[in-house]
Amino acid sequence: MLSLLSRTHTPSSSRHSPEDSPTEPTMPTIDHHISHQTRRRRIVVAMTGATGAILGIKALIALRRLNIETHLVMSKWAEATIKYETDYHPSNVKALADHVHNINDMAAPIASGSFKADGMIVVPCSMKTLAAIHSGFCDDLISRTADVMLKERRKLVLVARETPLSDIHLRNMLEVSRAGAIIFPPVPAYYIRAASVDDLVNQSVGRMLDLFDLDTGDFERWEGWQTEK
């Protein structure tokens, strides 16, 4: 036993020649400017059952063209409105987005403030969804994600579709605006002298995305009175 103990070395008593010493690993020098990976910008697009489904569709098309990563949430009534108002099928609209989340999936990544998103646009936004956002009653993924945008101080644009507006609608709009949201009624710009409804839609979508500092290039901007030559 004593002979065994005499041959046991503690770390402090171990002796190695310089050749035997293990080389300590060198920590690589990290250039944070080079190693930092820039991600694509991310925008959540929510579509509710309010009229104006083409606005949400055109927004998705524009964002896809601008190489923005999109996360789409669509309500049951949004799907019904798409089929009623447009020639698109909900499956075609979903194919325009990078990621599609079920409205009842409260465990989706976008439901958490830790998920990095650059903002959210609810287009079109029904008065029911507006009321849910105002009250903080997050019973589906659209209202929950909007709530996240407000608490994390991220951009939230609500393309409110209703007319005329009651006191209840106006109060809800005022309160969510005070909380940090932007209310964007898609009011047509008559000064562009649109040749079609499509021109008006493109102008509204372009102005919506201006709020995210994105230029669709799909509409004519106001440049002052043009004098005829």
Side-chain angles (χ1 to χ4, degrees):
M1 176 64 73
L2 288 174
S3 61
L4 286 172
L5 288 172
S6 64
R7 287 199 297 270
T8 303
H9 297 283
T10 63
S12 59
S13 65
S14 297
R15 285 182 170 79
H16 301 281
S17 66
E19 292 78 19
D20 296 330
S21 297
T23 307
E24 290 194 11
T26 344
M27 294 303 291
T29 305
I30 300 174
D31 186 334
H32 293 284
H33 295 289
I34 295 173
S35 64
H36 177 68
Q37 296 294 320
T38 54
R39 63 166 175 81
R40 291 166 65 198
R41 291 184 65 184
R42 286 177 182 155
I43 292 181
V44 178
V45 178
M47 295 181 67
T48 72
T51 186
I54 192 63
L55 293 164
I57 295 168
K58 288 278 193 173
L60 284 167
I61 292 170
L63 290 168
R64 187 180 183 88
R65 194 175 68 245
L66 292 167
N67 195 31
I68 305 298
E69 181 182 318
T70 50
H71 290 253
L72 175 63
V73 190
M74 192 183 293
S75 74
K76 175 186 74 174
W77 287 108
E79 296 192 16
T81 306
I82 287 167
K83 288 187 278 190
Y84 186 81
E85 290 185 347
T86 77
D87 294 328
Y88 288 84
H89 188 273
S91 60
N92 304 131
V93 179
K94 291 175 182 178
L96 295 170
D98 292 285
H99 304 275
V100 179
H101 305 284
N102 188 291
I103 193 169
N104 297 312
D105 183 9
M106 301 299 276
I110 59 175
S112 170
S114 65
F115 181 80
K116 282 292 186 184
D118 298 290
M120 176 181 185
I121 182 167
V122 184
V123 52
C125 180
S126 67
M127 293 300 100
K128 176 186 175 182
T129 299
L130 172 69
I133 296 169
H134 165 228
S135 65
F137 185 64
C138 308
D139 66 335
D140 63 29
L141 187 58
I142 293 177
S143 53
R144 167 58 189 170
T145 307
D147 194 62
V148 166
M149 296 296 156
L150 292 177
K151 79 182 183 70
E152 298 292 334
R153 299 294 190 266
R154 295 171 189 159
K155 188 154 288 183
L156 173 63
V157 176
L158 307 178
V159 183
R161 287 285 299 126
E162 188 60 276
T163 192
L165 297 167
S166 72
D167 286 1
I168 294 171
H169 302 149
L170 292 168
R171 278 200 303 271
N172 287 342
M173 288 181 186
L174 179 59
E175 291 305 318
V176 296
S177 178
R178 285 174 173 167
I182 297 172
I183 305 296
F184 186 105
V187 178
Y190 295 104
Y191 64 81
I192 65 172
R193 302 179 71 174
S196 65
V197 173
D198 205 45
D199 288 346
L200 292 174
V201 169
N202 287 338
Q203 197 272 347
S204 285
V205 170
R207 293 289 288 116
M208 289 171 211
L209 297 186
D210 274 351
L211 297 170
F212 295 91
D213 198 25
L214 295 169
D215 188 354
T216 63
D218 284 342
F219 68 101
E220 185 179 342
R221 296 182 182 276
W222 175 251
E223 294 182 353
W225 297 112
Q226 300 298 313
T227 48
E228 294 183 6
K229 295 181 180 179

